[in-house]
Amino acid sequence: MIGLGTMGAGIAEVFARAGIGVVAIEVDAAALSRGVGILDASLSRAVTRGRLTAAEQAEIRSRVRPAAGFSDAAAVDLAIEVVPERMEIKREILAELDRVCSPDAILATNTSSLSVTAIAAASKHPGRVIGMHFFNPAPVMRLVEVVSTVLTTDGVAATVSDLARRVGKTPVQVGDRAGFIANALLLPYLNHALHLLATGYASRADIDTAATAGIRLPMGPLALLDLIGLDTALSIMEVLHGEFGLPRYMPTPLLRRLADAGRTGRKAGRGIYEYPNSGSDDHQSGNEHPPATPRTVTLIGAGDDTEAELASAIAAAGINVTRNAAHPSDLVLIAAEAGRPILPAALAAGRPQQAVGLHLAGKLAAGSLAEVVQTSVSSADAVQAGAALAVKLGLTAVRAPDRPGFLAGTLLYPHLADAVRMCQDGYAGPADIDTAMKLGCGYPRGPFELIDAAGAAAVLTGLEAMHDAYGYPEFAPPPLLAEHAAAGIAFADGSRSAL
Ligand code: CAA
């Protein structure tokens, strides 16, 4: 293992836990001891949580041998470099490894943003150089992207994939393209979330809550940016933009500013959130809305089941419900439908200042996401009352503007479109993309499973509404999505989308 930062130490732990000896190489003794400290802290945490015994900890630890220098790598079968993302450093390391390692050894790079091909070309034996891309935190996330280049010798990807399986990971084999699968999909979505924050579309806590409560992702995009590091995120976005050139990949200015300011995330104790005790997950999230529940609500809906369900839930919470906008009430609540603005209904009710929408991302169930939709004329009191009502109903409330997709959809639809475009480009098929996002980023369902669950037509409608409203090319629906919507076929069954 060349480089024992957070990722290197995590990967060393993965190998050592699987019974494989690791030679740990760092730039100097201080860096080495810091790296070993990261490994020790992670193993001690597992002992504290009752996941390892002290004896197992000692055994795992004994498999990791801090090395005096590169010459200790002479006998290894595989060298993985996990050093900073600078091509000149990687090239120097490849040259050293060429010098000391046996000709049969495989040389892997964990790069997340540089071209594996360009790194391989720095070796005298580029056929044995491959990408082996792990995810943060490496001991937990199960994906390894195995990245072959046009120079990689036949069989190397299969050997590395077998090894990944042996250490408990799931390999997905891909070609060398910027961001591979997971980062090419994840980073534009995170960047878009930061753009929504920067433009005042929604608050920090609401953006993260929309993703966790609405899309059921393990972390919100802003908290995840802090975990990955804003500097790392910026460099990946720059590489994606350089490779694909599309506006979707342009780093949002706030990302660059935060990185420039050294507010790089958890590792710096400060990023989008503050981490007063470095390393701790200390950001505030969840519900910050004050409880000022309205006593009488005018409910306006489409006369469908959602409206009826909402009416009975509000009544069951002890709040009077009226359907007549002429009756006095504390709040006009519009049962919002995806893809349809609430402003016309708010204006029709005659009291638009007192009107907000309530959009349920899923079922009306405890903890599920409720988007409190505010128009340009909704008063702050009405928005607070709407949020308090949602909380009273046991829902998780976020505020969203009356724009297509509200908040969760605005985050999700372009992300799903990116996945479809990747498949349309022939880079990876739905199954590999779903596996990558589930095992690399902890998604409970992959992008194609999400599309199939919602229906391609619903995702298409959401994207079309965003594209019509903003005119941005990044919201243009990919033809493959439109074809699935028109034919009514799921990606799980679609033969044309199965690469
Ligand atoms: N090191 C080792 N183990 C860790 C850890 C770390 N840094 N963080 C968490 N864990 C372990 C915990 O010890 C715990 O293990 P046990 O169940 O055995 O006790 C387990 O992970 C779950 O941890 P928590 O209960 O503390 O927290 P959680 O359930 O909220 O899960 C999480 C934490 C695994 C990080 C989860 O939030 C998650 O999956 N988040 C998404 C992370 C993600 O997307 N990673 C990819 C980033 S992109 C990338 O890495 C690629 C790149 O090139 C930039």
Side-chain angles (χ1 to χ4, degrees):
M1 191 69 49
I2 327 296
L4 223 61
T6 311
M7 283 306 286
I11 300 167
E13 179 180 334
V14 168
F15 280 90
R17 275 177 179 254
I20 296 173
V22 177
V23 178
I25 299 175
E26 253 297 357
V27 65
D28 57 29
L32 193 54
S33 104
R34 261 198 312 277
V36 170
I38 298 171
L39 171 66
D40 284 340
S42 178
L43 292 176
S44 300
R45 174 161 132 162
V47 172
T48 313
R49 286 181 164 242
R51 306 286 183 190
L52 279 182
T53 64
E56 285 164 338
Q57 176 187 24
E59 203 184 331
I60 293 167
R61 184 62 183 74
S62 72
R63 294 195 190 107
V64 180
R65 182 162 63 83
F70 269 97
S71 52
D72 286 19
V76 303
D77 300 310
L78 167 75
I80 309 180
E81 72 75 16
V82 196
V83 302
E85 295 280 76
R86 298 230 313 272
M87 187 56 86
E88 68 277 14
I89 307 180
K90 309 256 186 202
R91 284 175 173 269
E92 274 170 31
I93 284 167
L94 265 277
E96 284 290 344
L97 292 173
D98 270 345
R99 202 173 48 78
V100 299
C101 293
S102 95
D104 304 333
I106 291 173
L107 311 184
T109 170
N110 181 58
T111 187
S112 53
S113 58
L114 298 176
S115 148
V116 179
T117 313
I119 296 171
S123 165
K124 286 199 191 101
H125 311 285
R128 62 168 169 169
V129 180
I130 196 156
M132 200 175 182
H133 185 222
F134 290 80
F135 288 76
N136 189 1
V140 185
M141 308 316 287
R142 280 168 45 214
L143 179 70
V144 175
E145 288 173 318
V146 176
V147 186
S148 299
T149 76
V150 288
L151 301 166
T152 311
T153 307
D154 283 352
V156 174
T159 305
V160 168
S161 298
D162 286 345
L163 179 65
R165 280 186 209 98
R166 207 177 125 198
V167 300
K169 303 293 182 192
T170 300
V172 169
Q173 294 187 19
V174 285
D176 186 20
R177 203 178 86 148
F180 316 132
I181 295 179
N183 281 347
L185 297 181
L186 183 70
L187 270 296
Y189 146 73
L190 302 183
N191 184 59
H192 182 211
L194 189 59
H195 176 75
L196 295 179
L197 176 70
T199 54
Y201 189 93
S203 74
R204 190 171 69 164
D206 282 355
I207 290 170
D208 276 354
T209 302
T212 52
I215 315 172
R216 302 273 164 209
L217 300 181
M219 293 174 79
L222 304 178
L224 185 52
L225 271 172
D226 276 353
L227 175 76
I228 292 172
L230 286 110
D231 49 344
T232 305
L234 175 63
S235 64
I236 298 171
M237 286 307 296
E238 282 173 338
V239 168
L240 290 171
H241 191 236
E243 182 125 334
F244 303 117
L246 302 171
R248 173 84 171 146
Y249 302 106
M250 216 144 59
T252 196
L254 183 58
L255 180 61
R256 200 178 291 285
R257 297 294 173 271
L258 288 169
D260 284 351
R263 288 182 57 161
T264 53
R266 281 195 198 193
K267 62 187 170 190
R270 204 162 174 230
I272 299 163
Y273 293 96
E274 309 275 332
Y275 302 86
N277 311 311
S278 200
S280 73
D281 184 3
D282 214 14
H283 66 265
Q284 313 95 27
S285 64
N287 236 304
E288 292 166 358
H289 308 296
T293 319
R295 278 168 302 174
T296 306
V297 169
T298 304
L299 181 64
I300 296 174
D304 57 4
D305 289 352
T306 311
E307 184 193 341
E309 214 187 337
L310 255 182
S312 48
I314 296 170
I319 297 164
N320 296 322
V321 185
T322 163
R323 308 298 178 92
N324 186 343
H327 288 168
S329 67
D330 301 327
L331 179 71
V332 177
L333 190 74
I334 298 157
E337 292 173 66
R340 185 171 295 185
I342 63 152
L343 186 61
L347 294 172
R351 299 184 265 147
Q353 298 83 349
Q354 276 189 296
V356 294
L358 192 78
H359 179 247
L360 300 170
K363 289 203 165 58
L364 182 63
S368 69
L369 185 73
E371 292 167 310
V372 177
V373 181
Q374 55 191 83
T375 71
S376 304
V377 272
S378 304
S379 70
D381 284 353
V383 176
Q384 280 196 357
L389 172 68
V391 170
K392 179 91 178 166
L393 300 183
L395 302 166
T396 303
V398 296
R399 298 158 201 231
D402 187 24
R403 300 257 177 85
F406 304 130
L407 183 49
T410 287
L411 286 167
L412 185 61
Y413 296 142
H415 185 40
L416 298 180
D418 290 343
V420 174
R421 224 171 274 118
M422 178 179 278
C423 177
Q424 186 181 277
D425 288 352
Y427 181 64
D432 278 350
I433 293 173
D434 279 354
T435 300
M437 300 315 286
K438 288 195 284 187
L439 303 186
C441 308
Y443 284 28
R445 284 185 291 179
F448 290 96
E449 289 167 334
L450 287 168
I451 297 173
D452 284 350
V459 178
L460 180 69
T461 305
L463 268 173
E464 282 172 342
M466 289 178 73
H467 191 236
D468 288 349
Y470 298 99
Y472 299 158
E474 56 266 44
F475 299 150
L480 185 63
L481 180 67
E483 288 154 21
H484 276 68
I489 46 169
F491 279 93
D493 315 326
S495 54
R496 285 204 56 221
S497 59
L499 291 178

